[in-house]
Amino acid sequence: MDPDRARQLLTGELTALDDRLRAAEENRAETTVDAIGPEGALGQHPGDYGSDVNATMEARMSVETITEQRRRVLDAIELLDEGGYGRCAVCDREIDDERLESRPEARTCREHADTPVVT
């Protein structure tokens, strides 16, 4: 893939993730405050309390997931800067452009898509 196109895709993805992260952090702050009020579960129906706890957990997981996605994009930008972008982390073959167009942060070729990569 052309390095300029890769940088364009990665910075666009990073911008979108930054927007999503801001919204997710706001949601987490609102959910946490509402779910764990001064009384906690006291005086609250157990089903309502369970729903509040679930919403708090989902909001936290959303922030964590987006943060991890953002880290992967930043890692890909670093690889691009170092000249190693677009090569499979498992077999070192070139990752096809179609895969990089849809997942610009991809670290593996299609053959190794399910292989975990430790960074």
Side-chain angles (χ1 to χ4, degrees):
M1 171 176 279
D2 174 59
D4 291 334
R5 175 68 179 147
R7 188 169 305 282
Q8 177 187 20
L9 288 171
L10 289 166
T11 56
E13 183 71 17
L14 189 59
T15 300
L17 287 169
D18 286 343
D19 291 343
R20 288 178 51 206
L21 184 58
R22 260 190 304 281
E25 286 173 339
E26 289 172 7
N27 182 46
R28 179 179 64 178
E30 291 171 7
T31 303
T32 302
V33 169
D34 292 343
I36 317 293
E39 315 87 37
L42 299 176
Q44 192 175 22
H45 187 278
D48 292 338
Y49 181 70
S51 294
D52 289 345
V53 169
N54 185 57
T56 299
M57 290 172 49
E58 285 180 359
R60 184 176 359 156
M61 287 187 328
S62 179
V63 168
E64 290 171 2
T65 299
I66 296 168
T67 299
E68 175 61 21
Q69 291 171 332
R70 191 175 183 285
R71 185 195 59 79
R72 289 180 184 172
V73 171
L74 289 171
D75 288 349
I77 292 171
E78 185 176 324
L79 278 174
L80 183 63
D81 292 341
E82 295 171 354
Y85 178 78
R87 305 218 50 95
C88 179
V90 176
C91 67
D92 200 40
R93 286 190 309 221
E94 193 171 306
I95 301 171
D96 65 271
D97 287 351
E98 186 176 299
R99 179 163 169 76
L100 291 174
E101 280 285 335
S102 64
R103 304 272 324 249
E105 77 284 0
R107 295 284 318 266
T108 57
C109 64
R110 291 174 195 260
E111 184 178 330
H112 296 108
D114 294 330
T115 305
V117 176
V118 179
T119 55

